[in-house]
Amino acid sequence: GAGVSQSPSNKVTEKGKDVELRCDPISGHTALYWYRQSLGQGLEFLIYFQGNSAPDKSGLPSDRFSAERTGGSVSTLTIQRTQQEDSAVYLCASSLGGYNSPLHFGNGTRLTVT
Amino acid sequence: GESVGLHLPTLSVQEGDNSIINCAYSNSASDYFIWYKQESGKGPQFIIDIRSNMDKRQGQRVTVLLNKTVKHLSLQIAATQPGDSAVYFCAETTNDMRFGAGTRLTVKP
């Protein structure tokens, strides 16, 4: 499809394990965003990429969280030593770049840490 | 820090009525605003946007109003339908995009 694709759609992991979440943006979109959404809550900004660089990492909650983007396309969000409070839906979005381009979202990865 | 927020967390309307969802923002440097709709189990979907050089923009059944003097944004939905039931977010953009907490709209048949 032509939309933003995220995988897996659901992930259940044990506390202390590492997880990797993947985002395939829309082809040609230079900007990529990661957000976190807890149940019934708003969107918490995590990180933003322009191309392969991340000018704004201010939203990453701790050093257990990291993200990378390669080839200006696919991005992975890694959470090390997962904790129960990491349970949430992780949303990825992409845009053409520039501050006035709307974001196009994937359907998210629902992460449950047991 | 500066933030985007919403006045009303929930809104319930009768089918066919008009809905108004409000949003306050505090970053006076923001000059681009978007409304998103999020249905259960899905990512937010773009509804309508507005730049700061405008105070009103209309789409199909939706109108966004921007009042820069009081830093207020609203989304008006005409003839609300059951399919409009969702959570609505406003967002402002400077270098990145920050979202408000969202308003849940419920449409009663």
Side-chain angles (χ1 to χ4, degrees), chain B residues 4-18:
Chain B
V4 178
L6 290 172
H7 293 306
L8 297 173
T10 60
L11 178 64
S12 183
V13 300
Q14 204 71 37
E15 181 178 359
D17 288 351
N18 296 334

Side-chain angles (χ1 to χ4, degrees), chain A residues 13 16 19 21 29 32 37 39 45-46 55 59 69 86 91 102:
Chain A
T13 190
V19 295
L21 312 180
H29 279 194
L32 187 145
Q37 186 174 34
L39 186 63
F45 171 80
L46 297 179
R69 189 180 186 196
D86 299 334
L91 289 161

Side-chain angles (χ1 to χ4, degrees), chain B residues 24-94:
Chain B
Y25 67 95
S26 58
N27 187 348
S28 56
S30 295
D31 58 2
Y32 180 59
F33 305 87
I34 304 179
W35 280 100
Y36 288 89
K37 172 186 179 182
Q38 186 177 27
E39 296 175 288
S40 180
K42 297 184 179 179
Q45 292 178 288
F46 171 89
I47 301 174
I48 192 168
D49 59 3
I50 189 167
R51 289 173 171 73
S52 62
N53 60 352
M54 304 171 69
D55 53 21
K56 180 179 180 179
R57 190 164 188 220
Q58 289 185 293
Q60 186 178 12
R61 284 200 306 117
V62 295
T63 301
V64 55
L65 299 177
L66 175 63
N67 185 330
K68 294 180 289 293
T69 302
V70 295
K71 293 184 221 164
H72 184 269
L73 193 68
S74 68
L75 177 70
Q76 300 178 359
I77 305 173
T80 314
Q81 302 169 359
D84 295 327
S85 293
V87 177
Y88 290 80
F89 295 96
C90 67
E92 61 170 337
T93 300
T94 49

